[in-house]
C-alpha cells in the first residue's frame, strides 16, 4: 500500500509523502519493539526453566525465599551455587556473543563473519590455556591475559589482511589460518598436562558454565552493562556504514573512527566473556542472522543479543539434562547444533552475497 | 573478487619463472629430493632429548642390539622417521591432488575438514566399540574422511558461485567445529577415551609401531597409485573443464579417481599419525615454486618434499621445548599458518 502511493508522485503532495514515510517508520519501529518483547519473554521463560526445573525442581515461592536469604536444605545450595549462577552467566555470555556477532556481521557486511570465525575467541582461549597450565595463573591476571590474547588476534587479523574495510573474505581466511595455529598450540598444552588437568582444560576449552563463580559473574556483568549500551547506541551509525564508507561519510559518520571504536568495544566484551566461560562456539554466528530474520530483514543489536541469551540458556539446559548422566558443556551443544547451521548459511547466502 | 588468480593457481604465477627449470628434470627432482630426505633422516636419528653422534648413529643403525641406551634411542627414532616419511608423502600428494581437482590453491585435508571427519569417526569407534587396532582405525578414518569430503564439496558447490576457495574453507571450518564439538563431548564424558585419544588427536609419529603400520601399507599403496597417475589429468584440469574435455579428458571420472586416491591417503595417514595439518597445503606450493607448473613434476617433487617437511618438523618438535616434546602435527600447523596467510594475500582475495 505504502509503495503504491510512493510510485505515483504526481498525485502525492509533499505532506502525504511525509505521512507515508512516517507510517513506514512507525511500522518498522513497532515490529522491532514487538520482536524485542517476544524474544525477551522467551528468554525469561528459558531462564525460569533453567533455574526451577531439571533434575532438581524448585517451586517459584521457594526460589524467591532463597533469593531473599532463606536457607532451605539442598535447595538453597542447588539454586545459589549451581542453577542461578549458570543461568545468569549463560544470559550474560549470550548477550555478549550475540551482540558482537551482529556487529561483526554488519560491519564486515558478511553473514559469515563472526568473532569465532575470525579467530578472536581462539586468541583468548589459547592465551588463557597457556597462562593457566604453563604459568599457573588464575583469577584476574588470567582474565587479563585472555583479553590481551583476543585483542592481539583481532589486531593481527586486521593488519595481516591489509584492512581497507572491504577485504572481508581475506579477513575470514587469515582468521581461519591463525585459529588453526592457535588450536594446535592449545592441543600441545593439552597433551603436556596430566589427564585430570586435561579434562579440566577440556571442559573450559569447549565453553562451559560448570564452575562459574559469583565474582566472575560480577566482572562480566559490569563489562556487559557498560559495553552493550555503547555498542547498541552506535548501531544507527553502523547501519550507515552498511551503505558503504563513502555514503556513510556523506551522512556525517566518520567511518574509520566508528569502526575502530566498535571493534574495540566488541573485542573487549568477547575477550572478557571468553576468559570466564571459554569459547561457546557459533552463538555469535547464529544470533545475528536469526535476529535479522525476526526483525524483517533489518539488523538489530538488541534483538541479536537477546537471541544469543536464549541460545546459550537453552543449550546449557539441553547439555545439563538431556543426555542422561553425562553433563555436556554448553559449547559442545552449540557446536553440534551450530555446524549444520553454518553449512546451511553457506548455501543460503547465495542470495545475500553477490560479489566479493 | 579477483577471479583470475584464483581459478588459475598453477599456470599464472609460475609461468614466467625461467629459473624454475633448474630443478625441472625428473632425474634432478628425484636426486635432490632423495638427498634432502636422507639429510633430514640423519638429523632425525641424531637429534632429540638424547643426542647421538653421527658415527654412533650409523654403528647402531646397522649393528645388533647391544643393550645400550643409544641403541634403544636409534631404534625408536628409525621407526618414527619411517612413519614420518610415509605420512608426509601421503599428505603432500593428497594435497596436490585436492588442489588440482578442486582448482583451489587453499585445498588441504586439514583446512577442508577431511582430517576432522576421519578423527571423529575414529573417536566414535574408540568410544562405542573399544577399537584399538590400527587396521580398524584405518577403515573408520576412511569412512569419516570420505563423508567429510563429500559434505564439504557438496555444500561449497551449492553455495554462491560454485565451489570457491573461500566457501570450501568455510565449509571445512564448519565441519571441523562441529566434529570437534562432538569429539569434545565424548572426551568430557569418558576419561578412558580421552586418555587414548588426546595423544592420537594432535598428530604424532612417536611411539608408532612399524608392525602395526605394515598392516595398512596396501591401502597406502592403492592411494599412491591412484594419485600419482593423476598428473596428466591435473594438467588438463588446470586449463579449465571445457578445455580439458576438448583435450579428451573425462573430467568427472578423473576428478572421482583423484578424490578417491586423496581420501584414501588422507585417511590412512590420519589413522597412522592423527590429523596432520598444513603439510598438504605448504609442500605443493613450495615444490611448484621450485619445479614449475607441470603437475607431473609437482607430484613427484611433493612425494619427496612431504617427507622432508615431516621429518624436519618432527625433529624440531623434539628440541623446542625440552624436556617435553611437541608433536609433529602441532609443529606443521605452526609452520603452515604463516604460509596460508601469505597465499591468501598473494591470491588477492577480497
Amino acid at each position: 500500500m505504502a509503495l503504491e502511493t510512493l510510485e505515483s508522485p504526481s498525485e502525492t503532495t509533499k505532506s502525504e509523502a511525509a505521512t507515508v514515510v512516517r507510517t513506514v517508520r512507525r511500522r518498522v519501529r513497532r515490529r522491532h519493539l514487538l520482536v524485542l518483547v517476544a524474544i525477551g519473554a522467551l528468554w525469561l521463560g528459558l531462564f525460569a526453566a533453567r533455574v526451577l526445573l531439571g533434575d532438581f525442581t524448585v517451586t517459584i515461592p521457594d526460589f524467591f525465599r532463597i533469593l531473599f536469604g532463606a536457607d532451605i536444605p539442598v535447595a538453597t545450595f542447588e539454586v545459589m551455587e549451581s542453577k542461578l549462577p549458570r543461568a545468569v552467566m549463560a544470559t550474560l555470555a549470550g548477550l555478549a556473543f550475540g551482540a558482537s556477532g551482529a556487529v561483526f556481521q554488519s560491519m564486515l557486511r558478511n553473514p559469515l563473519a563472526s568473532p569465532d570465525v575470525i579467530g578472536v575467541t581462539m586468541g583468548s582461549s589459547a592465551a588463557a590455556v597457556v597462562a593457566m597450565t604453563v604459568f599457573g595463573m588464575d583469577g584476574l591476571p588470567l582474565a587479563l591475559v585472555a583479553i590481551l590474547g583476543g585483542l592481539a588476534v583481532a589486531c593481527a587479523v586486521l593488519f595481516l589482511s591489509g584492512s581497507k574495510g572491504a577485504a572481508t573474505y581475506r579477513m575470514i581466511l587469515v582468521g581461519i589460518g591463525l585459529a588453526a595455529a592457535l588450536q594446535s598450540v592449545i592441543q600441545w598444552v593439552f597433551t603436556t598436562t596430566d589427564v585430570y588437568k586435561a579434562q579440566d582444560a577440556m571442559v573450559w576449552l569447549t565453553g562451559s558454565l560448570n564452575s562459574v563463580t559469583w565474582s566472575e559473574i560480577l566482572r562480566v556483568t559490569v563489562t556487559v552493562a557498560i559495553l552493550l549500551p555503547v555498542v547498541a547506541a552506535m548501531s544507527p551509525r553502523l547501519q550507515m556504514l552498511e551503505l558503504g564508507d563513502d555514503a556513510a561519510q556523506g551522512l556525517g559518520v566518520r567511518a574509520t573512527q566508528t569502526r575502530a571504536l566498535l571493534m574495540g568495544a566488541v573485542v573487549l566484551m568477547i575477550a572478557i566473556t571468553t576468559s570466564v566461560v571459554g569459547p561457546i562456539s557459533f552463538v555469535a554466528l547464529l544470533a545475528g542472522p536469526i535476529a535479522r530474520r525476526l526483525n524483517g530483514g533489518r539488523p538489530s543489536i538488541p534483538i541479536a543479543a537477546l537471541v544469543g541469551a536464549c541460545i546459550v540458556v537453552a543449550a546449557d539446559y539441553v547439555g545439563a539434562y538431556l543426555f542422561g548422566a553425562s553433563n555436556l558443556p554448553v559449547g559442545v551443544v552449540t557446536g553440534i547444533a551450530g555446524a549444520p547451521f553454518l553449512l546451511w548459511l553457506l548455501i543460503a547466502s547465495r542470495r545475500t552475497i553477490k560479489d566479493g | 573478487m579477483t577471479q583470475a588468480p584464483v581459478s588459475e593457481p598453477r599456470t599464472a604465477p609460475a609461468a614466467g619463472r625461467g629459473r624454475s627449470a633448474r630443478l625441472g628434470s625428473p632425474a634432478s627432482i628425484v636426486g635432490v629430493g632423495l638427498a634432502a630426505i636422507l639429510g633430514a633422516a640423519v638429523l632425525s636419528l641424531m637429534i632429540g632429548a638424547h643426542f647421538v653422534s653421527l658415527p654412533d648413529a650409523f654403528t647402531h643403525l646397522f649393528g645388533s642390539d647391544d643393550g645400550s641406551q643409544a641403541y634403544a634411542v636409534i631404534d625408536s627414532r628409525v621407526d618414527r622417521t619411517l612413519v614420518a616419511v610415509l605420512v608426509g608423502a601421503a599428505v603432500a600428494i593428497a594435497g596436490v591432488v585436492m588442489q588440482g581437482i578442486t582448482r583451489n590453491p587453499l585445498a588441504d585435508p586439514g583446512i577442508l575438514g577431511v582430517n576432522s571427519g576421519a578423527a571423529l569417526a575414529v573417536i566414535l569407534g574408540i568410544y562405542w566399540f573399544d577399537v584399538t587396532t590400527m587396521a580398524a582405525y584405518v577403515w573408520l578414518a576412511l569412512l569419516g574422511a570420505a563423508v567429510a569430503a563429500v559434505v564439504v564439496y557438496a555444500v561449497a558447490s551449492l553455495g554462491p558461485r560454485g565451489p570457491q576457495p573461500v566457501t570450501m574453507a568455510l565449509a571445512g571450518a564448519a565441519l571441523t567445529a562441529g566434529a570437534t564439538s562432538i569429539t569434545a563431548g565424548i572426551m568430557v564424558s569418558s576419561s578412558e577415551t580421552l586418555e587414548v585419544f588426546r595423544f592420537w588427536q594432535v598428530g604424532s609419529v612417536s611411539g608408532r609401531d612399524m608392525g602395526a603400520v605394515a598392516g595398512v601399507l596396501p591401502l597406502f599403496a592403492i592411494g599412491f597409485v591412484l594419485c600419482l597417475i593423476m598428473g596428466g589429468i591435473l594438467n588438463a584440469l588446470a586449463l579449465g573443464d571445457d578445455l580439458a574435455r576438448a583435450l579428451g579428458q573425462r573430467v568427472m571420472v578423473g576428478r572421482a579417481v583423484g578424490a578417491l586416491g586423496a581420501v584414501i591417503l588422507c585417511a590412512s595417514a590420519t589413522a597412522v599419525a592423527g590429523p596432520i595439518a598444513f603439510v598438504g597445503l605448504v609442500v605443493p606450493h613450495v615444490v611448484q615454486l621450485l619445479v614449475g607448473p607441470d603437475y607431473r613434476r609437482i607430484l613427484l617433487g611433493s612425494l619427496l618434499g612431504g617427507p622432508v617437511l615431516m621429518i624436519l618438523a618432527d625433529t624440531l618438535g623434539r628440541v623446542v621445548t625440552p624436556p617435553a616434546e611437541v608433536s609433529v602435527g602441532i609443529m606443521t600447523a605452526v609452520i603452515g599458518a604463516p604460509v596460508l596467510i601469505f597465499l591468501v594475500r598473494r591470491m588477492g582475495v577480497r
Side-chain angles (χ1 to χ4, degrees):
Chain A
M1 176 207 104
L3 281 177
E4 276 166 26
T5 328
L6 280 173
E7 272 163 8
S8 48
S10 57
E11 293 165 32
T12 315
T13 64
K14 268 185 181 173
S15 71
E16 273 175 336
T19 318
V20 169
V21 169
R22 216 171 295 136
T23 320
V24 172
R25 276 201 185 149
R26 200 179 303 138
R27 203 172 298 149
V28 168
R29 223 172 293 144
R30 200 185 303 148
R31 173 163 187 160
H32 187 248
L33 205 65
L34 216 67
V35 175
L36 209 57
V37 169
I39 199 88
L42 177 66
W43 165 75
L44 200 64
L46 289 167
F47 187 89
R50 182 69 193 88
V51 177
L52 303 175
L53 305 180
D55 52 6
F56 187 91
T57 315
V58 182
T59 62
I60 297 176
D62 272 358
F63 170 73
F64 280 105
R65 259 184 281 158
I66 290 167
L67 206 58
F68 293 113
D71 194 3
I72 305 169
V74 189
T76 299
F77 179 81
E78 275 283 331
V79 170
M80 295 311 285
E81 299 304 319
S82 167
K83 287 167 166 248
L84 192 58
R86 283 180 72 150
V88 172
M89 193 61 225
T91 303
L92 291 169
L95 291 172
F97 284 126
S100 59
V103 169
F104 264 85
Q105 285 151 3
S106 286
M107 196 153 53
L108 301 176
R109 272 174 277 153
N110 188 326
L112 300 167
S114 90
D116 31 7
V117 171
I118 289 184
V120 176
T121 43
M122 191 60 82
S124 288
S125 319
V129 169
V130 171
M132 188 168 75
T133 55
V134 180
F135 301 104
M137 291 164 89
D138 60 357
L140 203 59
L142 179 66
L144 287 177
V145 170
I147 295 161
L148 288 178
L151 286 172
V153 171
C155 293
V157 169
L158 279 176
F159 174 73
L160 288 171
S161 53
S163 159
K164 274 273 191 284
T168 310
Y169 276 121
R170 212 188 304 163
M171 278 179 84
I172 292 175
L173 287 174
V174 168
I176 289 177
L178 281 180
L182 290 170
Q183 175 75 42
S184 65
V185 170
I186 291 176
Q187 284 178 341
W188 166 69
V189 172
F190 192 59
T191 48
T192 48
T193 54
D194 64 88
V195 69
Y196 299 105
K197 258 195 197 162
Q199 201 144 21
D200 279 355
M202 189 72 233
V203 171
W204 191 86
L205 279 178
T206 48
S208 166
L209 302 161
N210 288 3
S211 56
V212 285
T213 62
W214 284 107
S215 71
E216 288 171 337
I217 290 176
L218 184 68
R219 191 195 308 153
V220 179
T221 308
V222 171
T223 310
V224 172
I226 294 172
L227 292 177
L228 194 58
V230 170
V231 170
M234 286 174 76
S235 81
R237 275 191 260 173
L238 184 59
Q239 281 175 23
M240 287 182 209
L241 277 185
E242 280 199 66
L243 301 171
D245 283 11
D246 293 339
Q249 300 273 28
L251 291 165
V253 176
R254 284 189 238 165
T256 315
Q257 203 187 25
T258 307
R259 196 174 282 127
L261 208 68
L262 265 171
M263 198 76 155
V266 165
V267 169
L268 206 60
M269 194 157 69
I270 303 165
I272 291 175
T273 311
T274 308
S275 75
V276 173
V277 296
I280 303 178
S281 51
F282 287 123
V283 177
L285 188 80
L286 289 161
I290 293 176
R292 203 181 267 255
R293 193 142 297 182
L294 290 175
N295 195 29
R298 288 177 193 80
S300 159
I301 292 170
I303 294 178
L306 277 171
V307 170
C310 289
I311 294 173
V312 180
V313 175
D316 184 42
Y317 188 89
V318 169
Y321 300 122
L322 296 194
F323 289 97
S326 57
N327 189 343
L328 283 185
V330 62
V332 170
V333 179
T334 58
I336 294 169
F341 188 84
L342 175 54
L343 294 178
W344 173 80
L345 208 59
L346 274 169
I347 298 171
S349 59
R350 190 201 318 243
R351 279 157 298 165
T352 42
I353 304 173
K354 287 193 187 70
D355 221 53
Chain B
M1 178 125 193
T2 32
Q3 191 77 33
V6 176
S7 54
E8 297 167 33
R10 296 287 174 221
T11 42
R17 283 171 217 269
R19 62 197 156 89
S20 65
R22 204 168 21 164
L23 244 173
S25 78
S28 64
I29 295 173
V30 171
V32 172
L34 284 180
I37 291 180
L38 210 64
V42 167
L43 285 179
S44 165
L45 289 182
M46 289 165 60
I47 297 169
H50 181 95
F51 182 81
V52 180
S53 72
L54 192 57
D56 276 6
F58 274 102
T59 319
H60 292 297
L61 189 58
F62 299 110
S64 56
D65 188 354
D66 54 6
S68 70
Q69 194 197 0
Y71 181 83
V73 168
I74 293 292
D75 198 37
S76 75
R77 284 186 195 159
V78 169
D79 270 10
R80 68 190 290 174
T81 306
L82 288 176
V83 173
V85 170
L86 187 65
V87 169
V91 181
I93 292 297
V96 177
V97 172
M98 283 173 117
Q99 287 167 20
I101 61 177
T102 59
R103 242 180 276 135
N104 176 353
L106 297 180
D108 167 84
I111 293 171
L112 294 192
V114 175
N115 280 344
S116 60
L120 177 62
V122 170
I123 196 175
L124 287 176
I126 298 175
Y127 181 61
W128 278 334
F129 307 114
D130 293 323
V131 170
T132 47
T133 64
M134 191 71 79
Y137 284 175
V138 172
W139 292 110
L140 286 170
L142 200 55
L143 185 70
V147 170
V150 169
V151 168
V152 167
Y153 194 75
V155 166
S157 309
L158 291 170
R161 291 172 296 147
Q164 291 288 309
V166 175
T167 37
M168 292 192 73
L170 269 169
L175 197 88
T176 303
T180 312
S181 292
I182 300 176
T183 309
I186 292 172
M187 286 200 278
V188 166
S189 40
S190 158
S191 55
E192 304 95 82
T193 313
L194 171 70
E195 192 53 38
V196 177
F197 189 74
R198 67 172 174 150
F199 292 102
W200 184 84
Q201 182 200 26
V202 293
S204 171
V205 293
S206 78
R208 297 297 194 261
D209 179 13
M210 274 314 282
V213 174
V216 299
L217 280 180
L219 215 51
F220 274 102
I222 295 170
F224 277 122
V225 170
L226 288 180
C227 285
L228 288 173
I229 58 171
M230 289 291 293
I233 300 165
L234 292 180
N235 277 341
L237 281 177
L239 304 170
D241 282 13
D242 293 339
L243 212 50
R245 252 181 233 112
L247 288 170
Q249 293 290 351
R250 292 157 76 185
V251 172
M252 285 325 285
V253 177
R255 280 220 168 88
V257 171
L260 186 67
V263 167
I264 289 176
L265 283 184
C266 290
S268 312
T270 305
V272 170
I276 303 288
F278 289 115
V279 173
L281 177 79
V282 171
V283 172
H285 286 283
V286 173
V287 168
Q288 181 228 320
L289 284 178
L290 294 173
V291 304
D294 186 336
Y295 266 104
R296 287 166 299 186
R297 285 175 190 165
I298 296 174
L299 279 169
L300 188 60
S302 300
L303 184 70
L304 300 162
V308 176
L309 180 59
M310 274 291 282
I311 298 171
L312 290 179
D314 182 41
T315 310
L316 198 61
R318 287 178 220 158
V319 289
V320 282
T321 58
E325 209 172 78
V326 179
S327 305
V328 62
I330 290 164
M331 292 306 299
T332 57
V334 173
I335 298 168
V339 179
L340 171 68
I341 289 165
F342 170 78
L343 286 173
V344 168
R345 290 170 64 99
R346 198 181 69 162
M347 274 164 56
V349 175
R350 290 180 53 115

